[in-house]
Amino acid sequence: MVVPIGEDGEETPADKAWAIHAAIIGLNTGNLLFRGLELDPENPEIVTVACLAILAAALPFQAIFFLINSYIQEASNVHEIEYIMLQRLSLICQTISYLSLTAIGILMFETHVYIGGSFFLGCIIAFFLLRAAMTQADTLSSVRR
């Protein structure tokens, strides 16, 4: 038997993933709703339609992630093989959820080139800040050992 994650009451990576995916599903749903309402029924922009289709396709995977995560957290007798399979399915759903953010980026460029450019620049800066923080954390952890 495998003990479900988070029984000790502390915040776990699963809790953080839950919060991240809740934010992503809200972002995707909001974009689907509002950008979908803005579409011209006579002549919709094909790039916008394609991005909204990507967001719509990601929603079921995001919902399945929540179901898997809830089951793993609340089940008291999950067998090891079942746990491994559920973790793999959860990882697939998480990956598709994260990839749906590329459609959000493209939609930003479709709104205006400056908005998309700012988003892209912010992503690059955030990536380098994350890498710097991870490198610093590795350095600090190796010094303390």
Side-chain angles (χ1 to χ4, degrees):
M1 302 293 177
V2 175
V3 177
I5 300 170
E7 282 196 348
D8 59 358
E10 293 183 24
E11 188 172 339
T12 64
D15 294 335
K16 292 175 187 172
W18 181 277
I20 289 168
H21 288 282
I24 292 172
I25 201 169
L27 178 68
N28 288 357
T29 304
N31 270 282
L32 274 169
L33 175 64
F34 293 112
R35 296 298 292 259
L37 289 173
E38 292 174 352
L39 284 177
D40 179 10
E42 302 295 322
N43 188 19
E45 296 177 21
I46 193 68
V47 174
T48 302
V49 171
C51 289
L52 293 177
I54 291 169
L55 297 181
L59 286 175
F61 289 94
Q62 293 163 339
I64 290 171
F65 166 78
F66 287 120
L67 292 172
I68 291 171
N69 193 302
S70 294
Y71 178 74
I72 289 173
Q73 295 265 341
E74 295 175 11
S76 60
N77 57 353
V78 178
H79 294 278
E80 188 173 350
I81 294 172
E82 181 183 15
Y83 180 79
I84 291 169
M85 289 301 296
L86 289 171
Q87 288 292 79
R88 287 181 183 168
L89 289 171
S90 176
L91 182 61
I92 291 168
C93 292
Q94 287 181 58
T95 303
I96 292 170
S97 182
Y98 288 134
L99 289 175
S100 73
L101 293 176
T102 58
I104 297 294
I106 295 169
L107 284 172
M108 298 229 182
F109 274 103
E110 282 295 303
T111 302
H112 194 277
V113 69
Y114 289 153
I115 294 171
S118 297
F119 178 76
F120 184 69
L121 181 63
C123 287
I124 291 172
I125 292 169
F127 174 77
F128 283 113
L129 287 174
L130 177 63
R131 286 294 294 156
M134 289 172 63
T135 302
Q136 185 67 22
D138 286 343
T139 303
L140 289 174
S141 68
S142 66
V143 168
R144 290 184 180 205
R145 289 180 190 172

